[in-house]
Amino acid sequence: MTEVPWLLLMIAVPAVAAAVVAALPPAREALARQLTLAVSLLVLLLAVGATVAFDPGGARFQLTSSVDWIPEFGVSFALGVDGIALAMLLLTGLLVPVVVGASWRDTAPPARSMRAFWAWLLLLEATLVGVFAATDVFLFYVFFEAMLVPMYFLIGTFGGPGRRDAAVTFFLYSLLGGLVMLAAVIGLYVVSSSQLGAGTFAFDALRQLDIDPGVQKLLFAGFFLAFAIKSPLVPFHSWLPAAGAEAPIAGSVLLVAVLDKVGTYGFLRYCLPLFPDASRDLAPWVLVLAVAGVLYAALLAVGQGDLKRLVSYTSIAHFGFIALGVFAFTTEAATGAVVYMVNHGIATGLLFLVVGMVVARTGSRRIADARGLAATAPVLAGVFLVAGLASLALPGTGSFVGEFLVLIGAFPERPVFTIVATAGIVLAALYVLLLVQRTLHGPPPDDAPRPDDAPPVDDVPPVDGAAPVRGGGATAVAVRARARVRDLTRLESAVVAPLVALVVVLGVYPQPLIDLVTPAVEATLADVGGAR
């Protein structure tokens, strides 16, 4: 029986659909939205089908396919997944239909079309799948750079008041890292040509190379810089708070929950297997950055007054824990890092969605403007609380499993770094509990402007889940007052319900996820000579 090309379909279907949606006439906005949802659900079903067809105890890379692309340079359109990549594909397939639902009633800025929004969203999904499924290093690089384009337009066209600066900063940081990685990719090709007689970009062939330790360090640095910017690790993080704050909620969710995971995924997929000696030699320096990020970002999160910026800083702290798990070189820690990647995507995705709903009701990203939410919107407040507790890795939530595995796995090999990183747990409890206290409790803001002196709110960006608030005076105040007391709608409840369920299910019973990723983690650590 002919095997289903699961991975190729997961790339081709949203890519083709993006072109179709973009080509629809302006009068077919509703059709564009419906088609986007249908395609995103189809990609989720394909991801589930790929998971069913995958055997965790089988070959390292499965569901493989390869077609010569540029044979003169050994480039192939080669796809395949191990358990780590498959977990990331499931996360991507889950979150895209969720953000489509969250953006269902959004309206485009003046002179813009929501058809473009849906098209960029589908193209982003296609490129993300390509990044995780590529087994040719050059193909990975192409998808790595290509995914910047749809995210740039999502932020720059449909984001908040500072969208243009945020989009340019995001693009320039990522492009710089990508160009440095391109030099390292070319270096790998040259080394493979000298050792194998013919250059290649095939991952399995490259990891068999015997690269000089000094050259390894240079090539490692090229890949590491690109991934450290993408993650992001401190001090390469400064683009994320602005991008996360100014992006539309759909963009913020996919940016922090999936796109940034490409960096930590790259550490595991490329840095460790291709450059094992350099990974071990430079691991202490990486761990310094990781632990510094845990503490520095957590402290900045404590002092934030902007909801979306706060969530962005919490993610930087979480990525520090993930990097600690990767570069501890133990099975428990690295498995915990992958589990943390998945659960962080779910928990932070949920938190960003809820923040977007709060912003839609208050017309402001200021934490102070959301005060008293529990009294006026108890269901929304409850989901906010669940998302916050999942973000701080409360026992019983999925994030706790990943964080716990990282800490118990890293401590035997890296006790000092692990002990210092645990201070981040205390800071996480502090910034989450302060966030909950400042938003859910207390009286609603009583300093809202009166109709006579109400300023215009044209600067309030369109937010997901509600039409943009335009104009000033009494109408603006009335709209904002009504929005503040509205609880979750049926659509919003349907959007957040799957993520709330997964936060609990993966916190209570994470074994299927652990079983999926552990063989791939063990194979990766075998390449680098890690502890078993």
Side-chain angles (χ1 to χ4, degrees), residues 81-143:
V81 290
D82 62 1
I84 301 170
L86 188 56
M88 299 312 300
L89 291 182
L90 286 169
L91 178 64
T92 305
L94 168 70
L95 289 178
V96 173
V98 167
V99 300
V100 170
S103 308
W104 196 253
R105 295 194 177 98
D106 279 7
T107 57
R112 296 292 185 269
S113 168
M114 284 302 291
R115 288 177 296 112
F117 176 87
W118 303 122
W120 288 125
L121 199 60
L122 288 170
L123 186 59
L124 178 62
E125 181 173 31
T127 56
L128 287 170
V129 172
V131 164
F132 295 125
T135 55
D136 181 280
V137 175
F138 186 81
L139 179 64
F140 168 82
Y141 171 77
V142 170
F143 280 120

Side-chain angles (χ1 to χ4, degrees), residues 314 397 465 481 506:
T314 66
T397 64
L506 291 177

Side-chain angles (χ1 to χ4, degrees), residues 96 152 183 291 337 410 502:
V96 173
Y152 169 82
V291 172
L502 283 173

Side-chain angles (χ1 to χ4, degrees), residues 321-373:
F321 275 109
I322 295 171
L324 171 63
V326 171
F327 285 92
F329 302 120
T330 70
T331 300
E332 293 84 357
T335 299
V338 179
V339 172
Y340 206 161
M341 287 163 62
V342 175
N343 284 302
H344 171 268
I346 296 170
T348 303
L350 177 62
L351 187 56
F352 255 123
L353 287 174
V354 176
V355 163
M357 295 170 186
V358 171
V359 172
R361 285 154 171 76
T362 63
S364 169
R365 298 201 310 249
R366 293 179 64 242
I367 293 175
D369 291 337
R371 193 169 64 243
L373 188 65

Side-chain angles (χ1 to χ4, degrees), residues 28 37 74 106 110 112 116 133 140 176 220 229 236 288 314 375 382 385 430 508 521 527:
R28 307 308 295 272
L37 178 61
D106 279 7
R112 296 292 185 269
F140 168 82
L176 172 63
F220 173 92
I229 290 173
F236 312 107
V288 168
T314 66
L385 178 62
L430 178 61
V508 175
V521 167
D527 288 335

Side-chain angles (χ1 to χ4, degrees), residues 262-290:
V262 173
T264 49
Y265 171 82
F267 293 150
L268 276 168
R269 168 61 67 248
Y270 295 101
C271 288
L272 269 60
L274 297 182
F275 318 110
D277 296 333
S279 296
R280 282 201 164 276
D281 292 343
L282 299 176
W285 298 102
V286 177
L287 293 174
V288 168
L289 300 182

